[in-house]
């Protein structure tokens, strides 16, 4: 496994947050890690600092990597295909696949490819993140929240991913604001999902991702 697709059960769920922490931990262990987000919406060129590619670039220790990490950047905070259309662009799955494959051909121990939104959020007018995952045939790091309702969202995402033959390397439950107890929620999920390890990301700027890193590093 030299690449992982960082997918979410939804948007604003913790994909970038978890990816950045994982990058820092793996880099500290001496691994050559890289990141790619094929398309980003909600990107403000006048203030890119809080954007996904900027956060990923900072985690990599290479702020100048922003345009390489996300070559397709759109302003409107909506689905990428809609945001692109507002700027006169039409996104095509084959172009996103080609961009990802070019990034995956680079020299690294692990490439994290972050999607946009959730597993079945649209990327183009006729393709979702799931279509990109299936086409790239990458193992998935599935990021979930811990809010009331997350169990159904995780199990539904797993059904959708497995129906397209995707393998799930791990699940990370990233603690949501104003949510029920994180450990209890993860245990409740674990009663229904016994195949895939579930890691916890408590609500904090920095959390101990060493167990997750060790699990993923085994596959490298
Ligand atoms: N475990 C956590 N602890 C602290 N903050 C968190 C945690 N998980 C998510 N957040 C915060 O919640 C917000 C949304 O997280 P993030 O940007 O990672 O979502 P995302 O899934 O990448 O969204 P998008 O679909 O836009 O890419 C961010 O401000 C992030 O810092
Ligand atoms: C703007 C946001 N942060 C993401 N980049 C895009 C989320 C698209 C979600 C589409 C949907 O599933 O309804
Ligand atoms: Mg993100």
């Amino acid at each position: 496994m030299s690449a992982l697709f960082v997918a979410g059960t939804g948007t604003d769920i913790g994909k970038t947050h978890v990816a950045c922490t994982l990058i820092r931990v793996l880099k500290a262990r001496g691994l050559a890690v890289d990141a790619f987000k094929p398309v980003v919406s909600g990107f403000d060129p006048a203030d890119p600092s809080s954007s996904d590619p900027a956060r990923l670039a900072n985690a990599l220790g290479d702020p100048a990597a922003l345009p390489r990490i996300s070559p397709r950047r759109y302003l409107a905070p909506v689905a990428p295909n809609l945001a692109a259309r507002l700027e006169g662009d039409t996104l095509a799955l084959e172009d996103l696949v080609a961009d990802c494959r070019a990034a995956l051909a680079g020299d690294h121990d692990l490439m994290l490819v972050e999607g946009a939104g959730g597993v079945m959020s649209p990327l183009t007018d006729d393709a979702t993140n799931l279509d990109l995952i299936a086409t790239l045939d990458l193992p998935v790091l599935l990021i979930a929240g811990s809010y009331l309702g997350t169990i159904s969202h995780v199990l539904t995402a797993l059904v959708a991913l497995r129906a397209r033959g995707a393998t799930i390397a791990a699940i990370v439950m990233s603690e949501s604001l104003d949510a029920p107890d994180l450990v209890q929620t993860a245990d409740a999920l674990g009663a229904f999902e016994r195949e895939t390890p579930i890691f916890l990301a408590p609500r904090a700027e920095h959390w101990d991702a060493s167990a997750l890193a060790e699990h993923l590093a085994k596959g490298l």
Side-chain angles (χ1 to χ4, degrees):
M1 170 185 69
S2 62
L4 278 170
F5 193 101
V6 183
T9 55
T11 188
D12 219 30
I13 211 87
K15 298 189 297 294
T16 307
H17 180 78
V18 170
C20 288
T21 299
L22 188 54
I23 286 167
R24 291 187 172 98
V25 170
L26 291 173
K27 277 176 64 70
R29 290 163 176 253
L31 288 167
V33 195
D34 204 351
F36 189 67
K37 183 173 176 104
V39 57
V40 59
S41 55
F43 178 89
D44 181 357
D47 178 19
S49 60
S50 62
S51 70
D52 284 10
R55 291 158 63 195
L56 292 166
N58 288 336
L60 290 168
D62 184 8
L66 189 159
R68 175 180 62 78
I69 291 171
S70 287
R72 299 173 191 269
R73 304 181 297 275
Y74 297 101
L75 178 64
V78 293
N81 58 321
L82 303 182
R85 191 180 304 144
L86 288 171
E87 298 182 33
D89 280 358
T90 300
L91 295 174
L93 180 63
E94 55 267 26
D95 294 337
L96 301 182
V97 169
D99 291 351
C100 288
R101 285 181 172 151
L104 290 165
D107 183 20
H108 45 255
D109 296 319
L110 179 65
M111 168 66 82
L112 298 181
V113 178
E114 181 182 343
V119 168
M120 292 199 74
S121 290
L123 293 174
T124 72
D125 290 341
D126 59 2
T128 68
N129 282 259
L130 183 53
D131 296 307
L132 181 59
I133 292 165
T135 306
L136 294 174
D137 192 22
L138 293 181
V140 171
L141 180 63
L142 182 63
I143 314 302
S146 65
Y147 53 86
L148 187 62
T150 191
I151 294 171
S152 176
H153 294 169
V154 179
L155 296 178
T156 305
L158 290 171
V159 167
L161 287 162
R162 288 169 174 152
R164 295 288 295 275
T167 56
I168 296 90
I171 297 166
V172 180
M173 185 171 283
S174 192
E175 188 171 13
S176 309
L177 285 170
D178 307 322
D181 182 83
L182 176 63
V183 172
Q184 282 178 2
T185 304
D187 288 348
L189 171 64
F192 290 88
E193 172 54 37
R194 298 184 185 278
E195 275 181 59
T196 310
I198 301 167
F199 297 88
L200 306 186
R203 191 134 198 113
E205 183 54 31
H206 301 291
W207 48 281
D208 180 5
S210 54
L212 173 62
E214 274 156 35
H215 169 71
L216 296 175
K218 277 188 271 180
L220 295 182

